Amino acid sequence: MPGLVERYGTVAAGLVLIAVFVVFAPNFATTPNLINVLKDTSFLAILALGFALALTVAELDLSVADIASLAAVMVGWMVQMKFDPATAVLAALAVAIALGTLNALGVTVLHVPSLIVPLGTAAIARGLAFMI
């Protein structure tokens, strides 16, 4: 029994929570709301996939959130400065990819521990986000 709770406890709690919302919030189970929930959580799901990929190879990347924050701030700033939104997104993606590549090269080529390199990258990304 303890194995069952450890394995499926989170899923069961999520299903109970959904059932409570369906009963007490009549608009919860509507198609527009479900689409809205999927749109709102897609960003976090994409970040979680990237983080899970690092975990599958027994590494840890703590800079994911800071790089995502920098990308979001970049897009907002560039759009405010009258850049084309597509250009802003592409620029933010390029910076995020560059910082991720910096992490990968630091760990694989320079053999710096995978906890240290992302912490430095996170500090750089956070600092740049605050400067913008």
Side-chain angles (χ1 to χ4, degrees):
M1 187 69 171
L4 236 124
V5 171
E6 289 173 2
R7 182 174 248 169
Y8 300 110
T10 305
V11 174
L15 291 174
V16 167
L17 192 58
I18 288 171
V20 167
F21 279 118
V22 166
V23 169
F24 292 109
N27 292 332
F28 181 76
T30 61
T31 302
N33 187 54
L34 294 177
I35 290 171
N36 203 15
V37 168
L38 289 174
K39 282 181 184 177
D40 288 345
T41 58
S42 62
F43 176 72
L44 291 175
I46 292 169
L47 287 180
L49 284 173
F51 196 78
L53 180 64
L55 289 176
T56 58
V57 292
E59 300 293 342
L60 188 61
D61 187 352
L62 298 176
S63 65
V64 173
D66 291 303
I67 292 173
S69 296
L70 173 61
V73 168
M74 271 187 66
V75 170
W77 177 76
M78 288 181 75
V79 168
Q80 185 180 13
M81 299 305 285
K82 306 295 185 221
F83 282 88
D84 178 50
T87 304
V89 169
L90 289 174
L93 275 173
V95 168
I97 289 169
L99 289 173
T101 303
L102 179 70
N103 281 343
L105 291 175
V107 172
T108 58
V109 175
L110 301 176
H111 303 290
V112 179
S114 66
L115 182 65
I116 304 302
V117 176
L119 283 176
T121 307
I124 292 168
R126 191 177 313 121
L128 288 172
F130 281 134
M131 284 176 53
I132 295 174

